[in-house]
Amino acid sequence: MREIKVAAAQLGPIQKAESRAAVVARMIALMQQAKAEGCPLIVYPELALTTFFPRWYHEDRAEADSWFEAEMPSPATQPLFDAARAMGMAMSFGYAEKTPDGHHFNTSILVDAAGNIVGKYRKIHLPGHVEYDSERSHQHLEKRYFEPGDLGFPVWRTLGGIFGMCICNDRRWPETYREMGLQGVEMIVLGFNTPSVNSQKGAEGLAQRLFHHKLSVQAGAYQNATWVIAVAKAGDEDGHHLMGGTLIVNPDGEIVAESQTEGDELVIHACDLDDTVFGKETIFDFARHRRIEHYGRITAQVGVVLPPED
């Protein structure tokens, strides 16, 4: 048995005017609760340090840099790292990253119990749009403020297992899980900030959005025999509602724990990484069952035609 008691630390709304210090204090309070529950790992959401700022349009792109961290730990987040180190707590959280050479990414990190950053992932599947769109119910300007991630989907050996990360919209794409599944991933941690209404499809409300969220996470977990820890930022941020839906999903694709509120909340479950073994050695044994040459034959038989080059 390789059991890790995981705390999925959902954050309630973060208002535009709320300071980094106030948010970090909330994160530390959740960490203290997780420590009291005997959890060695805590997972926070995407863009955990700020409001979901891509809903706000800055005509001058540089004005958005105030939402970004130029270093990590930053002065504002150092207390979080100090608390984690003092408690012997590993953690993962998302933030807006500005690199020393001026690139901007939607980033998540994995930090070990000694406070060392052991993994970094940059969001690849950026949703939304670049310019202000008056036809939308709300703006979703991730493509304006972020560049697509350039680190791929690596995995890391830590905490006695094989861990991977992804962020929000990545969870909807099967190749996200498969890239890590082919590397033997045993637990994927992901944070998300998902509006409860689609800005381009008003009829797709909260119920359907939660359905698609759960469908994506459960399928990814089952088809790659991995645990998935999906952690929301939720609630009303300055009049813009984010859905909850924090989940812990086991390697059989079953939801074993989920949030009950849209506020700061811990969702806790003892996850045995050995529960991934059966699926990886039977139905999803990629080495035995994925014969690459067969895919080539199928492509030829169905007559796939590639588009002409530009």
Side-chain angles (χ1 to χ4, degrees):
M1 178 181 290
R2 291 179 294 142
E3 189 173 272
I4 300 176
K5 195 173 185 182
V6 179
Q10 177 173 290
L11 289 174
I14 299 173
Q15 308 308 328
K16 192 176 183 182
E18 194 165 353
S19 69
R20 300 281 209 289
V23 177
V24 167
R26 289 166 56 184
M27 295 170 75
I28 292 173
L30 288 168
M31 184 182 289
Q32 291 168 335
Q33 294 176 38
K35 177 66 175 178
E37 294 286 344
C39 300
L41 173 63
I42 187 167
V43 183
Y44 299 99
E46 173 190 29
L47 297 178
L49 304 174
T50 66
T51 194
F52 184 72
F53 67 85
R55 70 171 65 93
W56 307 108
Y57 176 75
H58 295 276
E59 184 172 353
D60 179 358
R61 165 66 189 74
E63 292 179 357
D65 280 358
S66 62
W67 300 111
F68 286 75
E69 310 302 317
E71 57 182 326
M72 187 58 65
S74 61
T77 59
Q78 189 62 56
L80 181 66
F81 280 76
D82 292 343
R85 186 180 300 108
M87 288 185 247
M89 181 83 68
M91 64 178 172
S92 178
F93 67 89
Y95 65 99
E97 176 194 12
K98 182 179 179 181
T99 67
D101 56 351
H103 293 283
H104 298 77
F105 297 105
N106 188 338
T107 296
S108 186
I109 54 174
L110 185 61
V111 182
D112 69 15
N116 303 307
I117 297 174
V118 297
K120 176 181 284 189
Y121 168 74
R122 291 167 174 161
K123 186 175 180 178
I124 289 174
H125 299 99
L126 296 176
H129 52 111
V130 176
E131 301 298 336
Y132 186 87
D133 185 352
S134 61
E135 298 299 315
R136 290 176 180 255
S137 62
H138 56 273
Q139 303 304 297
H140 199 131
L141 294 158
E142 286 195 57
K143 283 185 169 67
R144 184 175 186 83
Y145 300 130
F146 299 120
E147 302 165 52
D150 60 356
L151 300 177
F153 288 104
V155 299
W156 297 270
R157 284 162 174 77
T158 187
L159 293 170
I162 304 175
F163 285 74
M165 290 184 280
C166 64
I167 299 173
C168 198
N169 192 42
D170 289 324
R171 75 193 189 278
R172 305 183 190 280
W173 299 77
E175 55 266 38
T176 295
Y177 304 94
R178 183 50 44 90
E179 287 277 349
M180 291 183 276
L182 288 169
Q183 299 172 76
V185 74
E186 296 171 323
M187 181 174 287
I188 296 172
V189 297
L190 75 95
F192 62 97
N193 288 206
T194 300
S196 59
V197 177
N198 188 310
S199 67
Q200 295 177 288
K201 184 182 177 184
E204 185 189 27
L206 180 59
Q208 192 172 26
R209 304 219 88 189
L210 283 168
F211 167 74
H212 287 145
H213 158 61
K214 293 180 179 181
L215 175 69
S216 300
V217 174
Q218 291 178 259
Y222 168 64
Q223 291 172 345
N224 296 277
T226 184
W227 289 91
V228 180
I229 316 299
V231 187
K233 171 131 63 63
D236 189 321
E237 293 188 338
D238 294 300
H240 299 270
H241 188 259
L242 296 172
M243 72 179 204
T246 294
L247 306 171
I248 297 178
V249 179
N250 72 16
D252 289 322
E254 300 165 332
I255 297 172
V256 295
E258 60 185 311
S259 57
Q260 302 300 311
T261 75
E262 291 184 347
D264 292 3
E265 178 185 354
L266 288 184
V267 177
I268 295 173
H269 189 77
C271 304
D272 185 356
L273 299 182
D274 282 341
D275 288 348
T276 66
V277 173
F278 181 81
K280 292 182 185 301
E281 292 185 348
T282 57
I283 190 169
F284 296 116
D285 184 338
F286 299 141
R288 286 195 298 140
H289 303 321
R290 293 183 86 248
R291 299 290 297 275
I292 301 303
E293 64 270 23
H294 292 174
Y295 287 90
R297 292 175 195 163
I298 293 168
T299 300
Q301 289 168 1
V302 299
V304 172
V305 178
L306 297 177
E309 295 184 0
D310 292 337

